[in-house]
Amino acid sequence: MNKQELFENIKKKKSFLCVGLDTDIKKIPEHLLKEEDPIFAFNKAIIDATAPYCIAYKPNLAFYESMGVKGWIAFEKTVEYIKKNYPDQFIIADAKRGDIGNTSAMYARTFFEGLNIDSVTVAPYMGEDSVTPFLTYEGKWVILLALTSNKGSHDFQLTTDTEGERLFEKVLRKSQEWANDQNMMYVVGATQGRMFEDIRKIVPNHFLLVPGIGAQGGSLEEVCKYGMTKECGLIVNSSRAIIYADKTENFANVAAEEAKKVQQQMEKELAAIL
């Protein structure tokens, strides 16, 4: 999916919501544990319920890998289900990979050849040769970690060099030598508020993947005020606040209601550019 196709889907759905599939076997409704594949059963119900209100899904690999082979199978089945039934959805493998070149090439092969996923999150700490193997696939996206929403982001990402440049700013500037806004996005946490202004000075046209709305307390209004572009430029993720909104047999309907609430907020924010 290219940048224009992504924007067209945002306009069509009046939404830039990404539903995070952080599916924890210990948190899903108890009645699903009777299913042959509880993780996939949960994901399928959530996807069917929320698809009208979102433009992307983001399975977090840690939740699947923690289950071993069964978890990876559930992940693969989830990806295939989305691709077959909701082909307009942008799929993000939230894997945060990044290693020496030949290892990164294998990670890229896993997600872009084996699973044909649209994008993967990548850690930039090891530099250019750890990122560029992901950029060799036409039509695929790298989503590079830039400024995250966790408390520990202050440990490294906000540190400054002798010229006053913060580390996340260096990541944004340097990475533009490797790719452009047609195949690279950046992760920026919703809790960073007005920092989006500083980010947009460096990457005015790139899409940003924004986690931290909902359970982590990020403000959608603030993110849009400082981060939205004329092409939207935002994919805002919500995970727990949607998928775990209810633990009864009515969980999917409640998830749909929560997703719809977010979509309605997004529709208002999009009115200025659509």
Side-chain angles (χ1 to χ4, degrees):
M1 184 180 294
N2 62 36
K3 187 179 181 183
Q4 185 59 38
E5 289 169 337
L6 182 57
F7 183 43
E8 289 299 324
N9 206 28
I10 289 170
K11 290 192 290 185
K12 181 179 72 174
K13 289 195 167 182
K14 296 182 173 60
S15 174
F16 46 97
L17 172 63
C18 172
V19 174
L21 297 173
D22 298 4
T23 309
D24 185 344
I25 191 72
K26 296 181 179 181
K27 292 183 179 179
I28 66 175
E30 197 170 318
H31 71 277
L32 291 176
L33 299 178
K34 301 174 186 176
E35 298 283 340
E36 181 181 350
D37 187 339
I39 296 297
F40 177 65
F42 177 82
N43 285 354
K44 180 179 180 295
I46 291 291
I47 292 162
D48 288 339
T50 60
Y53 311 111
C54 66
I55 52 92
Y57 287 101
K58 182 175 71 66
N60 184 323
L61 267 293
F63 290 85
Y64 302 88
E65 291 171 338
S66 70
M67 299 275 295
V69 173
K70 289 183 179 179
W72 190 264
I73 290 171
F75 169 67
E76 288 189 335
K77 286 164 66 176
T78 297
V79 169
E80 286 305 310
Y81 186 77
I82 297 169
K83 290 170 64 66
K84 180 180 179 181
N85 295 280
Y86 304 98
D88 62 341
Q89 293 287 346
F90 188 74
I91 304 177
I92 302 166
D94 191 2
K96 300 179 181 70
R97 301 299 197 244
D99 208 323
I100 60 172
N102 63 338
T103 306
S104 279
M106 294 300 102
Y107 285 138
R109 183 187 296 179
T110 298
F111 295 111
F112 293 152
E113 291 185 34
L115 293 164
N116 195 24
I117 288 174
D118 296 297
S119 62
V120 62
T121 56
V122 176
Y125 189 77
M126 291 181 69
E128 179 181 6
D129 58 329
S130 71
V131 177
T132 49
F134 295 93
L135 294 165
T136 61
Y137 291 85
E138 187 175 352
K140 303 299 183 183
W141 293 81
V142 164
I143 307 181
L144 206 65
L145 298 178
L147 184 58
T148 55
S149 56
N150 61 306
K151 181 181 177 182
S153 65
H154 292 252
D155 292 342
F156 299 116
Q157 296 166 27
L158 296 178
T159 56
T160 58
D161 62 17
T162 55
E163 297 180 355
E165 183 179 48
R166 290 166 291 189
L167 181 58
F168 80 87
E169 293 172 316
K170 188 181 295 290
V171 168
L172 293 171
R173 289 193 176 97
K174 185 65 178 178
S175 62
Q176 289 183 78
E177 298 175 11
W178 314 334
N180 56 43
D181 62 12
Q182 301 295 318
N183 61 348
M184 183 173 281
M185 304 184 189
Y186 297 98
V187 176
V188 180
T191 56
Q192 297 297 346
R194 293 198 65 166
M195 296 283 272
F196 279 84
E197 283 187 306
D198 296 336
I199 288 165
R200 281 305 186 200
K201 290 174 185 176
I202 304 171
V203 288
N205 300 312
H206 285 70
F207 262 86
L208 307 177
L209 172 63
V210 185
I213 291 292
Q216 294 182 51
S219 165
L220 179 62
E221 292 78 9
E222 199 168 50
V223 167
C224 293
K225 181 178 180 179
Y226 300 116
M228 185 173 282
T229 70
K230 63 181 180 180
E231 294 177 307
C232 183
L234 299 169
I235 300 175
V236 172
N237 181 79
S238 181
S239 301
R240 287 170 285 170
I242 291 176
I243 68 173
Y244 297 134
D246 183 82
K247 290 191 176 183
T248 71
E249 293 190 7
N250 196 42
F251 75 96
N253 290 330
V254 177
E257 292 169 6
E258 293 302 315
K260 186 175 182 180
K261 288 177 188 176
V262 179
Q263 182 272 325
Q264 288 173 335
Q265 289 179 278
M266 290 179 169
E267 185 173 358
K268 293 177 183 178
E269 298 292 342
L270 284 166
I273 66 168
L274 297 184

